[in-house]
Amino acid sequence: MGTTFRTHTCGELRASHGGERVTLAGWVHRRRDHGQLTFFDLRDRHGLTQVVTNADEAGEAHAAAEPVRNEWVVQVEGVVRARPEGTANDELPTGAIEVAVDQFVVLNPSKVPPFYVNEEQAGLDESLRLKHRYLDLRRPPLQRRILLRARLSAAIRRAMEAEGFADIETPTLIRSTPEGARDFVVPSRLQPGEFYALPQSPQQLKQLLMVAGYDRYYQLARCYRDEDTRGDRQPEFTQLDLEMSFVAEDDVMATVERAVTAVSREVLPDRPILREPFPRLTYAEAMARYGSDKPDIRFGMELADLTDTVRDIDFRVFSEPIASGGAVLGIVAPGCAGYSRKQLDELTDLARRHGAKGLVHLAVQDDGSLHGPAAKFLESRESLLLAAAGAASGDLLLIVADAERVAAAEALGHVRLEMGDRLALRAPSVLAYVWVHRFPMFTWDPDGERWDATHNPFSAPVPEDADRMESDPGSVRAQQYDLALNGWELGGGSVRIHQRPLLERAFALMGHSVEGMRDEFGALLDALEYGAPPHGGIAIGLDRWSALFADVENIREVMAFPKTQSGTDLMMSAPSRIGPKQLQELGLMVQGPK
């Protein structure tokens, strides 16, 4: 790593370098002044090294260092020596040595930063961090996360190359197509009144690469979606995008699983993968057992179907949903029978926020009886209910009833996750990958009064379901698969429709006219008539994967230059207005909000 300004990095020197003359350059992380001796922790992205100036041994260097403060950029020259006995720092890789400096050069002074770079600052405003992101990126915790992401990207490339994939770029100026979210659009100067769109994904392009015969394609693709941001979403993001030819659903899942396993072991060798091979759940199984299509399988507490057990009981909270074809579902929180009213109210509020009308709570007493507001309605079924739920004395039984089984499962699934956190069941070190597949192909859109694709319109139906596409769309399952990790959706993909007539049937069911199909999907439809092979693929969110590896809940913490919740870049002041000349060149006029 030697350059004009340094012979070693600040994380490189060890006891074996003792006696060597070295040159280091970096930022002053901390300064400790002891009169005749001044100690500096010098920092670069590789680590920290303690350097010391001594007025008696190197007066000029000591004087040159006198005005230096935190975040100044300096260059030092001196000899590596062991730290005095009792002063070694075992927490630093360089903690056994220091550099006795005899030449000290200030390369650039620094203003006092608006926040501490060398230590965590409680309550630090995120907007201040994003405004000065170049300083925020110097902070060691964020720097570690960004470098983790870099190692993840490098490991992905190695894994994909090992599986025989070719890295092929696709354009980021494309045609606007309906893919779920709003497009970001770019006006064309050379074709006035015409617009490009930034891709929400390279979906059609990667399918066209399969038609072109490239067999196995991948890229770390930049994608753009004009949608409201959340902790796991940004207007621009990166995904591992891949596609394979001559494959069925199992082939894609097996290939991706091998690559994901290799990447995980390379980047995080100390974090175990919970189960190998990854568990595979159908969508129906995932919802029935966990109340989520991205289940966190690091702990049990699975949902129990109590519908038949409480059927015909004179309790409206249960009887009315059952009469409407709904379900009564429960989970057991072990050892929580003593929960306070406040704790129970918190759980009830959580269930309501996620669509439940309420939450029935029953504490199991030492004698096996139930205690709670609904206990009197269930006296005749206590033993049956405990057996169906798998509850024992000291446990807390939490129940949701709803006329829609999926709604009940989803609400209770959120309560399950909350209890997993409260009982510390979600082991942070474990990587719990799980496949969820066989999703419903179509979802009814009551606003548009039409069927819509559950994921994307290019997914192929399960072969035995294809004949029911027009007669019973809601029963058709797609060859769609999602990969979840620790309760987050990590990626999703499918085997694609590779024959034009079948794709046109799917489009027609979703309300597309023949003219509309040709206008929006003409290139892909035409290409399918020129020998398109069976193919499928997946896209895995690099930002989410990085966040999960770094144990943070917001992907902004693993992105170098993220946007705010409102999609604003505070550092570059973007988006911003453009001048009249640019507007005129583009043939645009800005109309203010009404």
Side-chain angles (χ1 to χ4, degrees), residues 149 170-172 174 179 182-184 197-203 206 217 219-227 233-241 539-543 559 563:
R149 180 192 175 112
T170 54
T172 54
I174 63 170
E179 291 195 27
R182 297 182 185 89
D183 285 327
F184 283 103
L198 301 180
Q200 295 183 37
S201 78
Q203 179 65 48
K206 66 181 180 179
Y217 134 95
Q219 68 173 318
L220 296 182
R222 294 293 286 174
C223 303
Y224 309 83
R225 294 180 185 175
D226 187 3
E227 59 186 354
R233 291 186 182 178
Q234 281 273 300
E236 55 179 316
F237 57 94
T238 305
Q239 64 187 32
L240 164 61
D241 197 68
I540 294 177
L542 182 65
D543 311 290
M559 302 177 78
K563 307 290 190 293

Side-chain angles (χ1 to χ4, degrees), residues 95-108:
I97 58 91
E98 63 186 15
V99 176
V101 175
D102 53 40
Q103 292 189 42
F104 196 108
V105 178
V106 174
L107 298 176
N108 212 345

Side-chain angles (χ1 to χ4, degrees), residues 28-254:
V28 173
H29 190 68
R30 281 191 179 86
R31 171 196 172 106
R32 299 179 298 281
D33 197 336
H34 295 267
Q36 295 295 97
L37 294 175
T38 305
F39 295 88
F40 298 89
D41 289 336
L42 200 60
R43 183 193 74 239
D44 60 18
R45 79 171 178 89
H46 303 279
L48 293 171
T49 297
Q50 178 173 287
V51 303
V52 57
T53 61
N54 187 323
D56 294 332
E57 296 176 359
E60 273 189 43
H62 187 75
E66 196 282 327
V68 172
R69 295 297 181 266
N70 289 356
E71 299 312 308
W72 286 37
V73 185
V74 302
Q75 180 190 48
V76 300
E77 218 176 303
V79 176
V80 180
R81 67 188 184 192
R83 292 198 191 188
E85 186 175 351
T87 65
N89 185 348
D90 294 335
E91 295 182 2
L92 285 180
T94 61
I97 58 91
E98 63 186 15
V99 176
V101 175
D102 53 40
Q103 292 189 42
F104 196 108
V105 178
V106 174
L107 298 176
N108 212 345
S110 171
K111 294 166 60 176
V112 176
F115 49 81
Y116 292 114
V117 172
N118 61 4
E119 62 185 66
E120 288 298 312
Q121 188 173 340
L124 179 59
D125 182 47
E126 187 182 39
S127 63
L128 186 64
R129 291 176 56 199
L130 294 177
K131 172 73 173 176
H132 301 277
R133 189 63 167 181
Y134 45 86
L135 295 178
D136 195 30
L137 284 165
R138 289 186 195 171
R139 296 191 306 119
L142 181 54
Q143 201 166 73
R144 285 193 292 271
R145 293 193 289 269
I146 296 298
L147 295 176
L148 172 67
R149 180 192 175 112
R151 294 201 307 275
L152 175 59
S153 298
I156 287 170
R157 294 186 185 281
R158 282 189 283 272
M160 299 313 297
E161 294 290 334
E163 291 288 344
F165 285 79
D167 184 357
I168 304 175
E169 291 182 346
T170 54
T172 54
L173 292 175
I174 63 170
R175 178 192 172 85
S176 181
T177 59
E179 291 195 27
R182 297 182 185 89
D183 285 327
F184 283 103
V185 295
V186 180
S188 168
R189 178 183 61 84
L190 297 178
Q191 288 84 33
E194 304 289 328
F195 292 82
Y196 299 105
L198 301 180
Q200 295 183 37
S201 78
Q203 179 65 48
Q204 294 188 61
L205 295 162
K206 66 181 180 179
Q207 290 191 245
L208 292 169
L209 284 171
M210 296 303 101
V211 179
Y214 284 88
D215 192 62
R216 292 193 172 198
Y217 134 95
Y218 89 99
Q219 68 173 318
L220 296 182
R222 294 293 286 174
C223 303
Y224 309 83
R225 294 180 185 175
D226 187 3
E227 59 186 354
D228 296 336
T229 57
R230 299 201 303 256
D232 61 351
R233 291 186 182 178
Q234 281 273 300
E236 55 179 316
F237 57 94
T238 305
Q239 64 187 32
L240 164 61
D241 197 68
L242 64 91
E243 198 78 6
M244 307 167 62
S245 292
F246 303 110
V247 290
E249 187 178 37
D250 285 346
D251 300 316
V252 181
M253 295 166 72

Side-chain angles (χ1 to χ4, degrees), residues 390-408:
S393 62
D395 293 343
L396 178 65
L397 182 56
L398 301 168
I399 303 174
V400 170
D402 197 285
E404 295 290 337
R405 177 177 289 271
V406 170

